Amino acid sequence: MTGRAERAPGRLALAIAGIALLVGAVALYEGRRSVGPVPLDAITLTVPLALLACVPLTRQRGSALVSDTGVVGPALVFLGFALLSVVADGLSVETFLTFTRYLFYVLLTGAVALVARDASARRFTMWAVAVAGTATVAYGGWWYVNSLLEVRRAAAEAGGDVPSIALRVVSTFQNANFYSEFLILLIAVLGYLVVTEKRVARWVAAVLGVAAGVMLLLTYTRGSWFGLVLATALVVLAVAPRRAWIVLAAPVLIAALSPTVQDRIVALITLEGSAGFRLRLWRVAGAAILAAPLSGSGIGTFYDAFTEAVRRDPSLAVGFEFYGAHNSYFTLLAETGVFGGIAFTALVLALLRVAVRPLLDETLPMGVRLQVGALAVGLGAFALNALTSNSFQHPQAAVYFWLLAGVLIAVAADAPGTRIDAPAAGGSPTRSRGRLAGMIADSVSARAARRASDALAAWWSSSVTRAVLVRPPARDAAWLLSSRVMRFVLGGPSR
């Protein structure tokens, strides 16, 4: 890995520059202009440039890393059905451009995976995301403080009260939901840096992670909150099951201290406001899926499918002529057909499964498992949030999902040989407990929580689910990656 990189520093530098350009431009610039039917923005301009910048290095490194993940098969099936939906829709410019976007996502994942095999490239990429993300946090915080002062001033002049949710932070993104999706990925990146860095850099990453967490709370996006909590709990269950209760205690404490968070959670449970509205949107999405179950309406055309579904059955009307499904998977089921939507779901699950074996491998150093776990938290939270949001249809946030998926593949591939400054599996440094910490640990509630965690850990260790997840993926696309086309793109035979 490092030897090849050292022999071609120019290729590695070019690839890193392309990825850094993408990372900075997409996070900090949200504008869009159209040239004819083609929209031009930071994503459509920098993703192709990043892919081109990676070609010299990927040609040198070969394709074995990507073909051994179990990801290529679902990706090809999804892209195949997505292309069929383009044809079924009459080869419109809109559907073709949307198909191209998803194609570039898949290619970006593979390219980043090959580039990130180099430790220096991986570290640079993660810090580039951290720096760009921190810039959005700083801007979002500045905007929130100034806007809140204006809202309070206006409320005081009008003699009214400030609403419990006066503002939702947007920062450089178009919508608070979009920004929250980016923030859960940013938190994962900063968590990865906390694990891998040392001394000052580690503390810097930790402080930035706390700031990103505060900003995530201020987006008031419940799907991202619950996605992050659930993904973190699952990762901790895999790595340190007896400490899983701590993960659940933190959000409970936050909710107990924040009446606004309590209101958002109660509204979700009682299906008031946007929660109940989502259920109505899902009914429309179901009708759109049934309207074209095989071919789909055409990738990128859900709004049209939504309008047609409501016109066919006015009882489905939600007060808008068109609206998003608020579920990425339903959206793609409607756009690419049942088989295309299932293939996309399988692709996301395959990417997440890349993290499972290192997480459950107790022979690996704990630090390595935590690296994989940090990335798995972000990707898993994003995928879970997509159940209640169009996360994968929000390009400004989604592009980071695919980028981090590539980094995850590289980290998982290097896991057996990785050594970082962290305790080995099965052991942890002994630390003295203070009086308060000792009282909490010895309390009745803490003992009960530990017993529950022990029972859960015992069940998990002997479960069929765990046994299935740790099986290695099949080599699912060797025939394609050894073809003439892929040899031209990736160079000679797999190395």
Side-chain angles (χ1 to χ4, degrees):
M1 177 185 68
T2 56
R4 285 196 299 270
E6 289 171 358
R7 291 196 297 269
R11 296 177 183 180
L12 180 61
L14 179 62
I16 292 175
I19 293 172
L21 175 64
L22 182 157
V23 165
V26 173
L28 301 176
Y29 183 74
E30 61 175 330
R32 169 177 290 192
R33 295 185 179 183
S34 296
V35 177
V38 180
L40 296 180
D41 54 25
I43 299 166
T44 57
L45 292 174
T46 60
V47 172
L49 289 176
L51 290 173
L52 288 174
C54 292
V55 167
L57 190 67
T58 56
R59 279 176 54 84
Q60 181 194 45
R61 293 191 170 176
S63 58
L65 171 67
V66 179
S67 63
D68 287 337
T69 59
V71 169
V72 179
L76 291 176
V77 174
F78 164 67
L79 291 173
F81 279 102
L83 186 58
L84 286 176
S85 77
V86 174
V87 175
D89 190 56
L91 295 173
S92 68
V93 174
E94 179 184 7
T95 54
F96 179 76
L97 290 177
T98 305
F99 167 79
T100 303
R101 175 161 54 87
Y102 282 96
L103 173 62
F104 280 1
Y105 284 157
V106 173
L107 294 176
L108 180 66
T109 300
V112 171
L114 294 172
V115 173
R117 289 301 301 277
D118 184 89
S120 62
R122 187 159 66 232
R123 185 180 186 226
F124 184 92
T125 299
M126 300 302 271
W127 273 112
V129 176
V131 171
T134 299
T136 71
V137 169
Y139 175 74
W142 173 85
W143 174 88
Y144 182 82
V145 170
N146 283 275
S147 299
L148 187 60
L149 291 175
E150 293 180 5
V151 169
R152 288 181 173 177
R153 187 182 303 113
E157 292 174 355
D161 296 328
V162 178
S164 59
I165 303 179
L167 297 165
R168 298 179 66 186
V169 175
V170 175
S171 189
T172 56
F173 289 66
Q174 300 174 355
N175 182 288
N177 293 336
F178 301 179
Y179 189 41
S180 73
E181 292 155 6
F182 170 75
L183 284 172
I184 56 180
L185 297 172
L186 174 62
I187 290 170
V189 169
L190 293 168
Y192 173 90
L193 292 172
V194 168
V195 175
T196 56
E197 294 292 342
K198 299 178 182 178
R199 300 184 181 89
V200 175
R202 174 175 290 180
W203 283 103
V204 169
V207 171
L208 296 179
V210 172
V214 172
M215 204 57 55
L216 177 62
L217 282 174
L218 293 177
T219 64
Y220 295 103
T221 304
R222 292 164 296 190
S224 294
W225 292 352
F226 285 106
L228 184 60
V229 170
L230 182 56
T232 304
L234 290 173
V235 168
V236 173
L237 179 63
V239 176
R242 289 178 175 82
R243 293 178 172 83
W245 65 274
I246 299 176
V247 177
L248 299 177
V252 170
L253 179 61
I254 292 173
L257 296 176
S258 174
T260 305
V261 173
Q262 295 170 19
D263 293 341
R264 293 289 284 173
I265 295 174
V266 169
L268 177 64
I269 297 173
T270 58
L271 298 181
E272 294 179 357
S274 61
F277 184 62
R278 277 175 170 80
L279 295 179
R280 297 169 61 192
L281 294 176
W282 293 349
R283 289 182 59 204
V284 181
I289 293 168
L290 294 175
L294 296 180
S295 63
S297 64
I299 191 165
T301 63
F302 182 82
Y303 286 163
D304 296 334
F306 183 101
T307 301
E308 292 175 6
V310 172
R311 287 176 179 174
R312 284 192 302 268
D313 184 358
S315 67
L316 298 174
V318 296
F320 295 91
E321 185 175 354
F322 60 88
Y323 214 91
H326 270 282
N327 184 304
S328 282
Y329 309 106
F330 287 172
T331 299
L332 287 168
L333 282 166
E335 292 180 348
T336 64
V338 172
F339 296 111
I342 291 174
F344 181 83
T345 305
L347 169 59
V348 174
L349 292 175
L351 287 170
L352 296 177
R353 192 175 184 273
V354 170
V356 171
R357 293 184 68 228
L359 284 175
L360 299 179
D361 187 352
E362 296 180 358
T363 65
L364 290 176
M366 181 58 77
V368 175
R369 298 169 70 193
L370 290 176
Q371 288 183 47
V372 174
L375 294 170
V377 164
L379 298 176
F382 192 95
L384 288 169
N385 185 49
L387 292 168
T388 59
S389 177
N390 300 322
S391 304
F392 287 105
Q393 285 77 39
H394 300 156
Q396 194 177 5
V399 69
Y400 292 96
F401 173 91
W402 303 100
L403 186 147
L404 293 188
V407 176
L408 172 64
I409 292 173
V411 172
D414 283 349
T418 303
R419 293 290 183 271
I420 65 172
D421 184 17
S428 59
T430 301
R431 296 179 182 176
S432 59
R433 296 186 308 186
R435 174 178 291 184
L436 178 60
M439 292 174 60
I440 294 174
D442 294 334
S443 66
V444 174
S445 58
R447 291 201 300 270
R450 283 198 296 271
R451 290 194 186 98
S453 296
D454 289 345
L456 188 60
W459 166 82
W460 174 249
S461 298
S462 59
S463 68
V464 176
T465 303
R466 186 183 188 281
V468 171
L469 289 175
V470 297
R471 289 188 305 183
R475 187 177 174 87
D476 60 349
W479 59 272
L480 174 74
L481 294 171
S482 61
S483 65
R484 290 185 177 181
V485 174
M486 296 308 291
R487 284 205 305 270
F488 173 77
V489 174
L490 295 174
S494 298
R495 296 174 175 86

